[in-house]
Amino acid sequence: MNEVEILHNSLVVLDSQNRYEDIKEAELLKTKLIELIRKLLDEDFSRLLQLLYRVDVSEDKLKQAFVIHKEKEPSEIIAEMIIKRQREKLKWREWYKNRGA
């Protein structure tokens, strides 16, 4: 799975309407993800928390990232954490898949 696919999967988790499947540029997808998170931060924080739980973003790691990266916007930090977690899940899926073969 490449970066674009990981970003698509991250967006689908946050926006089930999948309005981004035609976008093929990783940076544009990351920008869309950040915008969506910003909107959730402003308008529906409880939904954002539910989605972060669903994606399995560690609350402790997120808090730590906010402390370390004070210069970054919260929505950007959250987006990076979601992408990082999606990559980790993919890596583990591949590991288990190859282990059984």
Side-chain angles (χ1 to χ4, degrees), residues 9-17 46-59 82 85-86 89 93:
N9 287 345
S10 301
L11 279 161
V12 168
V13 169
L14 296 176
D15 183 4
S16 59
Q17 294 178 15
S46 63
R47 176 145 168 73
L48 177 62
L49 292 177
Q50 290 172 351
L51 294 168
L52 289 172
Y53 178 77
R54 183 174 164 206
V55 175
D56 194 29
V57 172
S58 165
E59 184 179 338
I82 290 171
R85 184 63 187 127
Q86 294 289 73
K89 285 196 250 184
R93 277 189 210 121

Side-chain angles (χ1 to χ4, degrees), residues 32-43:
K32 295 291 184 186
L33 181 61
I34 291 168
E35 289 171 4
L36 185 56
I37 292 168
R38 187 178 302 124
K39 182 178 179 182
L40 288 169
L41 277 169
D42 292 340
E43 297 175 10

